[in-house]
Amino acid sequence: MSSKGLIKRSEDFSKWYNDLVSKADLAEHSDVRGCMIIKPYGYAIWEKIKDQLDLMFKETGHQNAYFPLFIPKSYLSKEADHVEGFAKECAVVTHYRLKNAEDGSGVVVDPDAKLEEELIVRPTSETIIWNTYKKWIQSYRDLPILVNQWANVVRWEMRTRLFLRTSEFLWQEGHTAHATKEEAIEETEKMLGVYADFAQQHMAIPVIKGLKTENERFAGAEETYCIEALMQDGKALQAGTSHFLGQNFAKAFDVTFADKNGKQNHVWATSWGVSTRLMGALIMTHSDDQGLVLPPKLAPIQVVIVPIYKNPEQLDQITSYAKQLISELVGIGISVKFDDDDNKKPGWKFAEYEMKGVPLRIAIGPRDIENKTVELARRDDLSKTTLSQKDLSQKISKLLEQIQEDLFRKSSDFLKDNITFASTVEEMNDILNSKSGFVEAFWNGDSETEQKIKDITKATIRCIPLEEKSTGKCIISGDLNSKKVLFARAY
Amino acid sequence: MSSKGLIKRSEDFSKWYNDLVSKADLAEHSDVRGCMIIKPYGYAIWEKIKDQLDLMFKETGHQNAYFPLFIPKSYLSKEADHVEGFAKECAVVTHYRLKNAEDGSGVVVDPDAKLEEELIVRPTSETIIWNTYKKWIQSYRDLPILVNQWANVVRWEMRTRLFLRTSEFLWQEGHTAHATKEEAIEETEKMLGVYADFAQQHMAIPVIKGLKTENERFAGAEETYCIEALMQDGKALQAGTSHFLGQNFAKAFDVTFADKNGKQNHVWATSWGVSTRLMGALIMTHSDDQGLVLPPKLAPIQVVIVPIYKNPEQLDQITSYAKQLISELVGIGISVKFDDDDNKKPGWKFAEYEMKGVPLRIAIGPRDIENKTVELARRDDLSKTTLSQKDLSQKISKLLEQIQEDLFRKSSDFLKDNITFASTVEEMNDILNSKSGFVEAFWNGDSETEQKIKDITKATIRCIPLEEKSTGKCIISGDLNSKKVLFARAY
């Protein structure tokens, strides 16, 4: 058991995270630099995330499609800011064949199979998609295009962390095309809303919706909207972005449409994405020193039943009751595992399912069978209660809802308690070095000021909150009428 | 309308296929050599295929996971046959950075960012997965591992056809690890069965289960099982393969386990996959000169309702009835589209939904409202009937089941009618040059004989059918006691 234990969050949050990802069987590093292996249990959580988001995208009128993995090098150059942002870190395909080495030592690149133009493994797909939309769009009747893609992307990273920063990651990227600026902005904001709803209602992660500063904008966007979350160590994490791209890509790829009067106009664009990074946010928001804590809506196993017995007769009695309970639970859509593996002791199983974040654990022993009770343990607060078997499946269903709510309340309280106002840079630095979290401060909107604050505090402007309207005195320049924005040190 | 028409299958089957894929909005070629764009309607069909297969994999105990896109070059060399089969056609990543060209002309590969070891974009994942399984497997308690991956793969192709042969394609690859040979063979056969059931029950495509000859085996397999289907032009198409890999990859990557007695043994392996090629099989099995024909189980839209009206009052009446019908249909799990687009005429809509293979079309006019009827058209046989509105949703539900059955019966009859026995090579050649289809013939099991027949007839041995037991005289060597196998010209 002790070999399964984690270091405490308070001792070394970063090591705690790495240990947890490994010991909860979520993911591991591969031998390929920066690329991760998502293990079955981790992938099952990602599938829950993916399925729910996909449903929400479809409910808002989007369809899925699939575009090529490779992007011709020249496409990246067509949008000036975009190439600056993405060309520096990418995997470049230069050849299309290997051949046997003459010395028999294995295979080598065949120099005769050099590509005329190099191909880039997509870091994001705006360029290849807008090159395609050129063919799809002639008239206003072809608009809007509301397309999403689930895909893998590659951004070469030197320092990687499982889920948070990997060279290859999985994500979705929405790419929409509109006849008007207003409609494109509305779409950008709508999808930010979908992300925020998903984070809060399904991941139980409170987020702040805001705009990125010019410095932090997506390469090629006119405006980047984001949702920002706060991890337990007081660092911020950008959990999703939605970009209003203006007509930048339409101009770069010459995509125009004839409006109702026959006049040619450039098309307006948005793109928006979330990735396997959400797994990192999920882990760092809820989990504790015993392991993973999962909101019931995203738990691959919501309830585990562990029989406690000393002889086969007792196991038979327990199994007979458990089967009936399982059938009831499955009937109301609750996923349940009955772990009657005889090779492992109950204590080992308890620790294992705590590590894996199963929201509810039910233990049933001979005395429970006698008394028509079960012992029920909540993963989130580690509390235990004895419950009568009467109407048990209904009670479990309600309890799962309760856990979902409690997790969100707890993380929301944490967020509220960790937004602190600073009226000077020194104050900000003190806060960041003690309790950390988000720091609210007035900023004059200037990129140089932003950089100065970053140099002093190592904090960046996470966002200009959408709901924040107050103005005051900039902490660097002293400019009055500066906006209140959120700073933090971030992942 | 004529601009939307297809060339007839009988005139040019290959052009008919290309036209159909384009005009039904399924897919198109991208500017990136050999890579396709799967359009939203095509992708919606692929999603139906994927969801059903995923369910069947999970019901047979498999879990999904995700492994890296890139494979170090040296891994490919570890299994001798495997590298022969795959190294010849692959995308090779040699650099990880671009930089601005000095002449300002765009971006160029940064020569300082050359990888020490080249990375191959996965053509299939046996090597990277078995390199991982080495860490996952120590004891018999770690077995079996039943893992599947949904992913994109790249095999460089010079001659490409949408869905049938593309450089990048989407697929699933199952990779399982077992303690015994028997268990691995059982798994290989079980997954072949899953593929056959899926093809027959969901795609309405009859398939023949068999073994590949040594020549046609997967590179690195001891035995390749396959399902073979017959297209309307008489050519065969391999629709799925399941490989018994023996201990080849376990030996190449040194993967052993301790059995119950503590003895170290090499692990037994299987892999199995189907791809977006299934889309090609689906199209070429059922579709006709009017366009796509879809089995109801895979149709993104199962029923389309087209209102026929001359004024807004009529449209209102029709809409009011249609809404009630839609709500009933959705309630019993039928997907339905109401197309009241005022910019397009009913005739245009009829042709459009025929092209897209929507299984049932309902037209409702003022007289139908008066008589409490609808006009119903089946896509598969293009028949029309007038039906009373009474219990209509139930009738539609039954009719969709009927269409699914009828399509399978029709394709099964076609298959039966196109398996012809040949007792000489000349006979085989005559058959292949006239009616085409599968040709049954006796073959002595020798690779040279197989090659001779291929040289004469351009036909390959598609499979040694699992259920075929008869023996006879080889059509080339005259050896008695030769096996009866299936030949065909193939995609």
Side-chain angles (χ1 to χ4, degrees):
Chain A
M1 278 256 296
S2 63
S3 75
K4 290 287 276 184
L6 301 173
I7 195 166
K8 285 186 178 159
R9 285 163 294 171
S10 55
E11 278 178 49
D12 187 340
F13 193 81
S14 174
K15 185 169 184 332
W16 166 83
Y17 175 81
N18 293 340
D19 275 8
L20 174 50
V21 170
S22 165
K23 291 186 175 167
D25 267 342
L26 301 177
E28 65 188 39
H29 290 287
S30 76
D31 284 0
V32 184
R33 187 188 180 85
C35 292
M36 69 179 155
I37 292 158
I38 307 179
K39 299 182 79 173
Y41 191 63
Y43 199 86
I45 300 170
W46 174 243
E47 278 182 317
K48 290 248 165 196
I49 291 175
K50 195 169 174 253
D51 289 350
Q52 178 59 34
L53 281 169
D54 197 69
L55 185 71
M56 292 169 87
F57 298 156
K58 284 175 178 158
E59 282 173 354
T60 45
H62 302 84
Q63 293 179 295
N64 290 325
Y66 189 77
F67 296 86
L69 171 68
F70 299 128
I71 297 179
K73 192 190 67 180
S74 58
Y75 285 27
L76 279 184
S77 311
K78 291 199 179 182
E79 212 288 331
D81 290 332
H82 195 68
V83 66
E84 278 304 308
F86 288 105
K88 299 302 152 60
E89 39 176 42
C90 58
V92 188
V93 177
T94 56
H95 291 75
Y96 58 86
R97 194 162 57 223
L98 298 175
K99 62 172 191 176
N100 293 320
E102 284 175 18
D103 62 2
S105 63
V107 284
V108 293
V109 175
D110 184 345
D112 292 340
K114 191 170 190 300
L115 289 169
E116 273 182 47
E117 180 179 4
E118 296 89 350
L119 296 173
I120 310 306
V121 179
R122 63 181 162 220
T124 180
S125 300
E126 277 77 6
T127 56
I128 190 99
I129 287 179
W130 279 86
N131 185 64
T132 306
Y133 283 178
K134 183 176 168 57
K135 295 169 219 162
W136 292 6
I137 300 168
Q138 274 89 42
S139 126
Y140 71 93
R141 287 195 189 86
D142 301 319
L143 296 172
I145 293 179
L146 303 173
V147 160
N148 176 61
Q149 162 170 277
W150 290 96
N152 53 344
V153 285
V154 172
R155 298 175 186 180
W156 209 264
E157 297 282 355
M158 285 302 156
R159 292 178 58 193
T160 61
R161 295 198 67 189
L162 292 168
F163 294 123
L164 297 170
R165 177 170 284 113
T166 49
S167 291
E168 183 192 15
F169 56 92
L170 304 183
W171 80 342
Q172 60 70 218
E173 43 183 327
H175 294 274
T176 70
H178 306 267
T180 66
K181 178 177 180 175
E182 292 66 36
E183 199 185 296
I185 292 175
E186 193 186 311
E187 166 79 6
T188 314
E189 290 176 353
K190 181 198 283 176
M191 298 322 289
L192 188 79
V194 166
Y195 289 156
D197 288 348
F198 173 74
Q200 304 195 145
Q201 290 163 24
H202 293 267
M203 305 187 77
I205 300 178
V207 293
I208 294 163
K209 293 196 261 188
L211 288 170
K212 286 287 178 193
T213 64
E214 202 183 332
N215 275 344
E216 304 276 335
R217 233 174 248 160
F218 176 78
E222 304 251 304
E223 200 74 89
T224 286
Y225 293 69
C226 62
I227 50 170
E228 293 284 326
L230 189 64
M231 304 297 98
Q232 288 182 65
D233 62 346
K235 283 169 79 176
L237 185 142
Q238 174 182 301
T241 49
S242 184
H243 315 293
F244 168 61
L245 302 173
Q247 296 173 311
N248 293 345
F249 286 91
K251 285 178 179 165
F253 289 89
D254 192 25
V255 187
T256 61
F257 71 100
D259 66 19
K260 286 187 183 175
N261 307 316
K263 194 173 156 259
Q264 291 292 322
N265 296 286
H266 280 109
V267 178
W268 298 86
T270 86
S271 68
W272 28 274
V274 296
S275 73
T276 33
R277 196 162 210 243
L278 286 179
M279 293 286 293
L282 187 68
I283 295 162
M284 290 194 292
T285 298
H286 303 301
S287 301
D288 62 23
D289 294 345
Q290 275 67 48
L292 190 63
V293 173
L294 288 174
K297 285 187 184 177
L298 298 180
I301 304 165
Q302 295 174 307
V303 178
V304 63
I305 302 175
V306 178
I308 318 280
Y309 56 94
K310 288 193 180 131
N311 56 54
E313 291 71 38
Q314 290 180 349
L315 178 60
D316 279 353
Q317 283 187 311
I318 296 166
T319 303
S320 154
Y321 169 67
K323 281 194 175 161
Q324 181 198 320
L325 177 62
I326 290 167
S327 139
E328 282 179 37
L329 290 172
V330 170
I332 54 174
I334 294 171
S335 59
V336 51
K337 176 173 175 173
F338 179 51
D339 187 350
D340 59 353
D341 182 348
D342 201 43
N343 291 313
K344 280 154 188 166
K345 292 186 176 162
W348 189 95
K349 293 178 187 175
F350 287 11
E352 175 71 8
Y353 294 112
E354 277 178 9
M355 183 65 77
K356 291 201 162 171
V358 175
L360 280 178
R361 180 184 76 222
I362 293 172
I364 310 173
R367 200 173 298 170
D368 290 308
I369 295 295
E370 220 169 273
N371 300 341
K372 293 195 180 300
T373 58
V374 300
E375 187 197 75
L376 197 134
R378 277 175 69 154
R379 175 63 188 88
D380 62 328
D381 61 9
L382 299 169
S383 67
K384 283 186 197 175
T385 44
T386 298
L387 280 184
S388 144
Q389 291 174 9
K390 189 162 182 299
D391 300 328
L392 186 56
S393 56
Q394 294 307 322
K395 289 179 212 160
I396 288 170
S397 174
K398 280 192 189 127
L399 206 44
L400 289 171
E401 284 172 32
Q402 188 65 49
I403 293 171
Q404 183 84 28
E405 278 174 35
D406 289 353
L407 284 174
F408 185 59
R409 188 178 308 115
K410 193 176 161 194
S411 53
S412 298
D413 288 346
F414 178 79
L415 175 62
K416 268 179 227 136
D417 292 345
N418 286 281
I419 303 178
T420 317
F421 179 78
S423 51
T424 65
V425 184
E426 293 70 36
E427 241 180 87
M428 187 188 294
N429 224 0
D430 286 348
I431 295 162
L432 290 167
N433 289 334
S434 51
K435 69 181 292 204
S436 191
F438 284 116
V439 180
E440 289 183 319
F442 291 106
W443 165 66
N444 68 349
D446 187 78
S447 287
E448 268 179 55
T449 310
E450 187 181 4
Q451 187 60 46
K452 270 185 203 162
I453 300 173
K454 189 176 172 183
D455 292 342
I456 299 169
T457 64
K458 291 178 199 145
T460 48
I461 299 180
R462 302 315 304 156
C463 70
I464 306 158
L466 294 186
E467 287 171 13
E468 183 64 65
K469 300 293 171 209
S470 48
T471 52
K473 190 174 153 193
C474 174
I475 56 168
I476 289 279
S477 66
D479 290 345
L480 302 172
N481 213 20
S482 292
K483 283 184 215 164
K484 197 195 267 179
V485 300
L486 277 185
F487 289 83
R489 293 178 185 157
Y491 278 94
Chain B
M1 280 254 296
S2 64
S3 75
K4 289 287 276 185
L6 301 173
I7 194 164
K8 286 185 177 158
R9 286 162 293 172
S10 55
E11 279 179 50
D12 187 340
F13 193 82
S14 174
K15 185 170 183 332
W16 166 83
Y17 176 81
N18 293 339
D19 276 8
L20 173 50
V21 170
S22 165
K23 291 185 175 169
D25 268 342
L26 301 177
E28 65 188 38
H29 290 287
S30 76
D31 285 0
V32 184
R33 185 189 182 83
C35 292
M36 67 178 156
I37 292 158
I38 307 178
K39 299 183 78 172
Y41 191 62
Y43 199 86
I45 301 170
W46 173 243
E47 278 182 317
K48 290 248 167 197
I49 292 176
K50 196 170 172 253
D51 289 349
Q52 178 59 34
L53 280 170
D54 197 69
L55 185 70
M56 293 169 87
F57 297 157
K58 283 175 178 157
E59 282 173 352
T60 44
H62 302 84
Q63 293 179 296
N64 290 325
Y66 189 76
F67 296 86
L69 172 66
F70 299 129
I71 298 179
K73 193 190 65 180
S74 58
Y75 285 27
L76 279 185
S77 312
K78 291 199 179 182
E79 211 288 331
D81 290 331
H82 195 68
V83 67
E84 278 304 309
F86 288 104
K88 298 303 152 58
E89 39 176 41
C90 57
V92 187
V93 176
T94 56
H95 292 74
Y96 58 86
R97 193 163 56 223
L98 299 174
K99 61 172 192 176
N100 293 319
E102 283 174 16
D103 61 3
S105 62
V107 283
V108 292
V109 174
D110 184 344
D112 293 339
K114 191 170 189 300
L115 289 169
E116 274 182 48
E117 181 180 3
E118 296 89 349
L119 295 173
I120 311 306
V121 179
R122 63 180 161 220
T124 181
S125 301
E126 277 77 7
T127 55
I128 190 98
I129 287 180
W130 278 87
N131 185 65
T132 307
Y133 283 179
K134 183 176 169 56
K135 295 170 218 161
W136 292 7
I137 299 168
Q138 274 89 41
S139 124
Y140 70 94
R141 288 196 189 86
D142 301 320
L143 296 172
I145 294 179
L146 303 174
V147 160
N148 175 62
Q149 163 170 279
W150 290 96
N152 53 344
V153 284
V154 173
R155 298 175 186 179
W156 209 264
E157 297 281 355
M158 284 303 156
R159 295 178 58 195
T160 61
R161 295 200 66 190
L162 291 167
F163 293 125
L164 296 170
R165 177 170 282 112
T166 49
S167 290
E168 183 193 15
F169 56 92
L170 304 183
W171 81 343
Q172 59 69 216
E173 45 182 328
H175 294 274
T176 69
H178 305 267
T180 66
K181 178 177 180 176
E182 292 67 35
E183 199 185 295
I185 291 176
E186 193 187 312
E187 167 79 6
T188 314
E189 291 176 352
K190 181 199 282 173
M191 298 321 289
L192 188 79
V194 166
Y195 288 155
D197 289 349
F198 173 73
Q200 306 196 145
Q201 291 163 24
H202 293 267
M203 305 187 77
I205 301 178
V207 293
I208 295 163
K209 293 196 261 187
L211 288 170
K212 286 286 180 194
T213 63
E214 201 183 331
N215 274 343
E216 304 277 334
R217 233 173 247 159
F218 175 78
E222 304 252 305
E223 199 76 86
T224 287
Y225 293 69
C226 63
I227 51 171
E228 293 284 326
L230 189 64
M231 304 296 98
Q232 288 182 66
D233 63 346
K235 283 169 77 177
L237 185 143
Q238 174 183 301
T241 48
S242 183
H243 314 293
F244 168 60
L245 303 173
Q247 295 173 311
N248 293 344
F249 286 91
K251 285 178 179 165
F253 289 89
D254 192 25
V255 187
T256 60
F257 71 100
D259 66 18
K260 286 189 183 172
N261 306 315
K263 195 174 155 257
Q264 292 291 323
N265 296 286
H266 280 108
V267 178
W268 297 86
T270 85
S271 69
W272 29 274
V274 297
S275 74
T276 34
R277 199 165 207 240
L278 286 179
M279 294 285 293
L282 186 68
I283 295 162
M284 290 195 290
T285 298
H286 303 299
S287 302
D288 62 24
D289 294 344
Q290 274 67 48
L292 191 63
V293 173
L294 288 175
K297 286 188 184 176
L298 298 181
I301 304 166
Q302 295 174 308
V303 178
V304 63
I305 302 174
V306 179
I308 319 281
Y309 57 93
K310 289 192 181 133
N311 56 53
E313 291 70 36
Q314 290 179 349
L315 178 59
D316 279 353
Q317 284 188 308
I318 296 167
T319 303
S320 153
Y321 168 66
K323 280 195 176 163
Q324 179 197 321
L325 177 60
I326 290 166
S327 135
E328 283 178 36
L329 289 173
V330 170
I332 54 173
I334 293 171
S335 60
V336 51
K337 176 174 176 173
F338 180 52
D339 187 350
D340 59 352
D341 183 348
D342 200 43
N343 292 313
K344 281 156 187 163
K345 293 186 175 161
W348 189 95
K349 292 178 187 175
F350 287 11
E352 175 71 7
Y353 295 112
E354 278 179 7
M355 185 64 78
K356 292 202 162 171
V358 176
L360 280 178
R361 180 184 77 221
I362 294 172
I364 311 173
R367 199 172 300 167
D368 291 308
I369 294 295
E370 220 168 89
N371 300 340
K372 293 196 179 299
T373 58
V374 301
E375 186 196 75
L376 198 134
R378 275 175 69 151
R379 175 62 187 92
D380 60 328
D381 61 10
L382 298 168
S383 66
K384 282 186 198 176
T385 44
T386 298
L387 280 184
S388 145
Q389 290 175 7
K390 187 163 184 297
D391 300 329
L392 187 55
S393 55
Q394 293 307 322
K395 289 178 211 159
I396 288 171
S397 173
K398 279 192 190 128
L399 206 44
L400 288 171
E401 283 172 33
Q402 188 65 50
I403 293 171
Q404 184 82 29
E405 278 174 35
D406 288 354
L407 283 173
F408 185 59
R409 189 177 308 116
K410 194 177 160 194
S411 53
S412 297
D413 288 346
F414 178 79
L415 175 61
K416 268 181 226 133
D417 292 345
N418 285 281
I419 303 178
T420 317
F421 178 78
S423 52
T424 66
V425 185
E426 294 69 35
E427 241 180 88
M428 187 187 293
N429 222 359
D430 287 348
I431 297 163
L432 290 168
N433 289 333
S434 52
K435 69 181 292 201
S436 192
F438 284 116
V439 181
E440 289 182 318
F442 291 107
W443 166 66
N444 68 349
D446 186 78
S447 288
E448 269 180 53
T449 309
E450 186 180 4
Q451 188 58 45
K452 270 185 203 162
I453 301 172
K454 188 175 173 185
D455 292 342
I456 298 168
T457 64
K458 289 177 200 147
T460 49
I461 299 178
R462 301 316 303 157
C463 70
I464 306 159
L466 293 186
E467 287 172 14
E468 183 63 66
K469 301 291 171 211
S470 48
T471 53
K473 191 174 150 190
C474 174
I475 56 167
I476 289 280
S477 67
D479 290 344
L480 302 173
N481 213 19
S482 292
K483 283 183 215 165
K484 197 194 269 180
V485 301
L486 278 185
F487 289 83
R489 292 176 185 156
Y491 279 94

